[in-house]
Structure formats: structure tokens, C-alpha cells
Amino acid sequence: RGDWGALFAEAEGLAQGGQAGRGQGQGAGTKADIRAVEADVEEGLLSKAVARVRGGLEIARCSQAVGALSALMPPGPRLVTDGGADPPGAEFREDLLKAAVKAISRFPRKSSPGPNGSRFEHWGVLAADNQALEAGARLVVDFLIGDCPSEALQANLGARVLGLQKPTGGVRPVAMGSVVRRLAARAACTALKDRVVQAVGPGQLGVGRRAGC
């Protein structure tokens, strides 16, 4: 469906325009940065806008960085993906499905992809069709409760890891997890928000806390 020929022509034109603009000097780059910051602010991506203004950290590309990341994240226990947990009740599963629909429909834009290259925007198109959205929500919930092949769990529980070089030395690890895992986590936090707050209280800042981390 759709006019793929026109889309390809538009993409090709943008690519050629980008190559032609590389030699226009620093002024063009500064204007592009300003437009990017303004776009982030308009979309409500304030943290990204601030990061652009401050300037990003460079990716560490050396063997020492690999060693530093390994030291920061030592191997953990073996991943268990053979199930064994009791399935959720019908009411709780319905809560999870509603939360998954919300997670797919409202997502952080321009977030980095995980190991399989999928982005939130790829999942976001499901919101254009109710049946597709419901099917996507069921997949997210099945992944969350482990009702899927173990190979799928193993493939999506990992993350892409980069090391950013700190100005003062050392490496800052950044992990980019699979989108389906992040959607499942968001759905679980939404459905269990009240229970988490009651169980943990003020000792956590991630769930049910305004402007939490």
C-alpha cells in the first residue's frame, strides 16, 4: 500500500541534499542544531533539547573502554526463560492489556533502538488500526508474562551497550534495551503503580512519582 516510488524519490532527494550541505561550513551546522533544539522543545523533549545545547559526550572506541564496561557490569546469574510462574488472572491481564495499549500509543520519541533495531515509532503505527493495536498489546503482555518462546525472551532481554567518554575520565555506560521489553516494563509499571507505591513507599523514585527517574 502507498506510493513507495514517491517516498523513495523524496528520501533520495533528502540524502543528496544532506551530502551537498556538508560543505557549507559551520554556520549551516549551527542552524541545523538550532532547528533540532527548537523541534525537541516543540515536541516536549526537554531533556534532549538540553543535551543538544550542552553538547553530547563522545563514544569511547578503545579496548580500555570495553574493559571498563565489563568491570561496571559483571556477569550475573544465568537467565531463566523456561517459565514456571503462575499466569495472571483475567482481571489483571485486562489491566495489563490496557496499559500495553497506552504504552504503544504514547511513547518517547526519537529514542535509540535496541539490539534488533526496532524503535518506538515502528510500534506506534499500530495505533492507526484498532485490531493491530490490540494484537500488539497482546504480544507485549505475552512477552511480559513469559508466554512466548524462550528464544524470543533471550533475544529481547538483552541490550546494546555503549560507553561514553567522561570529560574527567572514565566511561559512562548507556544501555539501549529492546523496545518490546521497554513496552512491557512500562505496561507493568502502569498496571502495578499503586501496588508498587504501597509496597515500597517513598524509598523509590521510578514508579508513581511525579518527575521520577
Side-chain angles (χ1 to χ4, degrees):
R1 296 180 181 180
D3 190 351
W4 290 100
L7 181 61
F8 180 80
E10 180 181 357
E12 187 177 31
L14 291 173
Q16 292 176 353
Q19 292 176 356
R22 290 178 183 175
Q24 294 179 0
Q26 186 176 0
T30 302
K31 292 180 180 179
D33 291 337
I34 293 174
R35 289 195 297 269
V37 171
E38 291 175 344
D40 287 340
V41 172
E42 289 178 359
E43 295 184 24
L45 306 174
L46 300 184
S47 60
K48 290 184 180 293
V50 172
R52 288 184 187 274
V53 173
R54 291 181 175 178
L57 301 179
E58 294 185 359
I59 298 177
R61 306 178 185 273
C62 59
S63 58
Q64 290 84 353
V66 176
L69 289 174
S70 300
L72 289 170
M73 294 177 287
R78 181 180 177 275
L79 181 64
V80 178
T81 58
D82 54 0
D86 295 332
E91 183 178 354
F92 182 46
R93 183 180 178 87
E94 187 63 27
D95 291 341
L96 289 174
L97 287 171
K98 292 178 180 179
V101 166
K102 180 179 178 181
I104 294 173
S105 303
R106 300 176 60 185
F107 52 87
R109 301 182 183 277
K110 301 181 181 179
S111 182
S112 297
N116 57 16
S118 179
R119 295 178 180 270
F120 282 106
E121 285 81 355
H122 298 150
W123 286 75
V125 297
L126 298 178
D129 182 85
N130 289 334
Q131 290 185 341
L133 183 58
E134 292 174 1
R138 289 195 299 270
L139 189 151
V140 169
V141 173
D142 287 344
F143 175 83
L144 174 62
I145 64 178
D147 188 12
C148 62
S150 60
E151 294 82 1
L153 284 173
Q154 293 176 352
N156 287 280
L157 288 179
R160 294 172 59 219
V161 180
L162 295 177
L164 301 182
Q165 192 68 54
K166 295 182 179 180
T168 56
V171 175
R172 175 180 297 168
V174 177
M176 293 156 284
S178 166
V179 170
V180 66
R181 188 192 74 175
R182 285 186 271 179
L183 289 171
R186 289 165 66 89
C189 289
T190 299
L192 296 170
K193 179 176 66 175
D194 294 338
R195 301 187 197 181
V196 171
V197 172
Q198 292 175 2
V200 183
Q204 61 85 29
L205 301 175
V207 180
R209 297 294 296 273
R210 186 176 181 83
C213 57

